Amino acid sequence: MTCHSHFKSLAIAAAVALPLSGLSIYSPALAQQTVKIGSVLSVTGPASFLGEPEDKTLRMYVDKINAVGGVAGKKIELVIYDDGGDANKARTFATRLIEDDKVAAMVGGSTTGTTMAMIPVFEEAQVPFISLAGAIEVVDPVRKFIFKTPHTDKMACEKIFENLKQRNFTKVAMISGTDGFGASMRAQCVKVAPTYGVQIVAEETYGPRDSDMTAQLTKIKGVAGVQAVVNPGFGQGPAIVTRNYAQLGMSATPLYQSHGVASKSFIELAGPAAEGVRLPAAALLVGDKLPDGDPQKKVVVDYKQTFEATAKQPVSTFGGHAYDGLYIMVEAMKRANSTDAKKVRDEIEKTKGFVGTGGIVTMSPTDHLGLDLSAFRMLEVKGGDWTLLPPGT
Amino acid sequence: MLAALRHRYGILLVLAVIIAALPLVFPSSYYFRVASLVWVSAFAAIGLNILMGKAGQVSLGHAGFFGIGAYAVAIGPTHLGVPPLAAMLLGCALSALLAFLVGRPILRLKGHYLAIATLGFGVLVALVITTESRWTGGPDGMSVMKLTLFGWRASGSDTWYWITGGLLLAGTWIALNLDETPTGRAFRALHDSEIAARVTGINVNRFKLQAFVIAAVYASLAGSALALMNGFVNPDQAGFLHSIEMVTMVVLGGLGSVVGSIVGAAVLIMLPQLLTVFQEYENLMLGAIIIVSMIFMRDGIVPVLSKFMTGWRA
């Protein structure tokens, strides 16, 4: 054994140990007058279209809240980590928020995958977690510390089928994406269809990166008696479906899209083919077209203006979910006049008549979402823009 | 100590001491979580290194086996009533069998062709996992029942730290021992020159297949351990990006070096955690660090450092 060999083994041990212990240097000391709200979002990666506006919204509004004195006498300190859409990474960051940053509450989780991975961490630590993910399994079954703000895919199906029923349509065809959103919504639609007397007479699927759906649509076209076509999916898939649909001359049969395409880029991608397409969406998309008496009008117009002025990009419903989550959390803290996790949780559950961008939220011990079907508005694309469908059409 | 690190028992001893001593400096269970992730990833990387570093065959679809192991412990207990530990072994058996069946034809390919074939295999596994949602929960994944042994429930980051640490020690020991066996020597011959190996009477195809099966079993076990530790699985774990991550760990740490695989895994798992201070430049920094270390340490971190230190002494 020489002196140098000691050095080598030490160097190797240090190489492993140092970075780990060094992590603690970066966690700032816990100050008394601040409350930490944590967030894990998919700011980069394939789900960045969700995480990016959520990230901007949270930073924007936390600054606003702090400018007027914070919450319950404390300033909010926001801790945001980017999981890149990776559920395993999200799980690690969730542990870090709880164990290392010691956050009082969490608003985040851009996708259903990352949210489901993080739920056990917050349940175990008993820290309230308001998720921004879509699927219904986040709040069904109800877990004590887990809440969410976005509408569920089940509600979207119900809203579409409600509209079909009003038009006396009973036979529909479905073409759905095989990604997480499409697969989950497809399953929910199949489940609730009988309640609305709707019969699914044909079903096709497409991959999330497919660039042509003509074959599937031709098959649907060949099925006799189809009165409407429903397309659960998000991303660029539905825009391609819409284009192919028009190219095949199927436009006489109404086409329903989901809330997953509720952004201006859908109309841009689909072009004139989008005319007449109907979909359920949050009020945020048609804020300026809402009648003046609408209770959500002020909130959505304010949010749209604030977001667009600060972020210099068009508003999306996803950022709106983060706005809703943050304010439900902050108002619960105000009512509890405390940042104690258990008291805040109880107050979140008592949220009543909260007017958000997604709808009017009234939670209960059996409902950790708190939205009903009125949270969705039925829209139709007309003249290259969204228009609000009057009720009963 | 240098001599100790040259010997396999020395490496084992140093590793065991590190695993035992780290908890003394850990301030919270978040550190246990990160370290457990390093142990699990290192375990999978060691397996892949046997195939890539020792036998010289590339696999770009190794996350497929990782996914099979992970989904075995998810599907077994939930749908089939198989206890988790048995499901883990079943996953291993399934991975080994698949590696054997798939490996027979595709390991006859060389270079880029082999890379593409293994890539295809990985993509296929991920595709099956994503679409068979009745069994696998589809793209959002499914939850995994906790591991119970004789009434004792394995949960908590510190418990899993010891389980994965033990697993890594065992995996390291086997990989180090393999070097000294005729099989290990055959792998090295294969790596240096396939033609020369064939001329000296080594059954090239058989040994390639063996390395492939061993690497598959390692990946499958790592997948099962991670799934049981997390309590959930999703198709990303079987995806192409994860395959690339595993290959990066092996190459970054050093092809053919067991210690290199552990260091490579540690770097790739810990860097994203350390780099969060750079906020939006995080990914940029990660990429830059990997590029720079590959330029200046072409043979991988551990081989270059160890050459540097021996040179320095002389």
Side-chain angles (χ1 to χ4, degrees), chain A residues 149-370:
Chain A
T149 54
H151 322 88
T152 64
D153 34 22
K154 181 171 169 235
M155 290 167 61
C157 294
E158 288 172 340
K159 191 76 184 180
I160 292 171
F161 290 157
E162 193 185 74
N163 194 256
L164 289 173
K165 210 175 164 187
Q166 280 165 3
R167 299 169 88 178
N168 290 321
F169 292 157
T170 53
K171 287 195 161 90
V172 300
M174 208 149 67
I175 174 163
S176 37
T178 53
D179 54 300
F181 182 93
S184 168
M185 180 166 168
R186 182 208 151 260
Q188 294 298 333
C189 284
V190 170
K191 216 195 247 171
V192 298
T195 329
Y196 290 85
V198 169
Q199 200 189 342
I200 296 164
V201 292
E203 248 206 279
E204 295 295 329
T205 58
Y206 59 85
R209 280 182 289 274
D210 289 1
S211 55
D212 187 87
M213 284 66 154
T214 319
Q216 292 97 318
L217 287 170
T218 310
K219 256 179 114 177
I220 289 177
K221 200 180 174 187
V223 177
V226 172
Q227 292 168 307
V229 178
V230 181
N231 178 200
F234 77 174
Q236 58 167 353
I240 299 169
V241 167
T242 308
R243 273 171 172 257
N244 291 164
Y245 200 79
Q247 282 156 5
L248 288 172
M250 294 169 75
S251 302
T253 317
L255 175 63
Y256 284 82
Q257 289 292 350
S258 71
H259 56 312
V261 302
S263 74
K264 217 39 192 269
S265 59
F266 167 73
I267 300 184
E268 282 161 17
L269 279 172
E275 289 298 301
V277 167
R278 290 187 175 190
L279 76 156
L284 183 56
L285 231 51
V286 284
D288 43 355
K289 297 193 188 74
L290 289 175
D292 283 333
D294 195 292
Q296 272 185 278
K297 175 139 187 162
K298 188 178 160 3
V299 172
V300 297
V301 169
D302 281 355
Y303 172 70
K304 186 174 154 68
Q305 279 168 357
T306 312
F307 185 88
E308 289 181 351
T310 318
K312 310 266 185 275
Q313 68 187 53
V315 75
S316 79
T317 49
F318 315 118
H321 299 321
Y323 170 90
D324 294 355
L326 179 66
Y327 274 92
I328 289 174
M329 186 67 83
V330 165
E331 291 198 355
M333 285 174 175
K334 274 187 188 152
R335 285 199 302 273
N337 198 24
S338 150
T339 51
D340 176 75
K342 291 189 186 61
K343 284 185 192 150
V344 173
R345 186 218 83 91
D346 292 346
E347 285 301 330
I348 296 174
E349 201 167 69
K350 284 184 204 145
T351 299
K352 195 164 181 275
F354 169 84
V355 184
T357 64
I360 294 164
V361 181
T362 300
M363 295 204 189
S364 73
T366 53
D367 183 4
H368 279 190
L369 167 66

Side-chain angles (χ1 to χ4, degrees), chain A residues 91 120-121 124, chain B residues 73-74 77-78 82-85 143-149 152-157 159-160 226-232:
Chain A
R91 170 69 170 252
V121 178
E124 208 162 297
Chain B
V73 293
T78 314
V82 182
L85 220 53
S143 54
V144 180
M145 283 187 205
K146 287 261 185 255
L147 178 65
T148 38
L149 285 176
W152 171 74
R153 246 166 122 247
S155 68
S157 306
T159 313
W160 276 101
L226 183 71
L228 286 168
M229 177 168 106
N230 279 346
F232 77 93

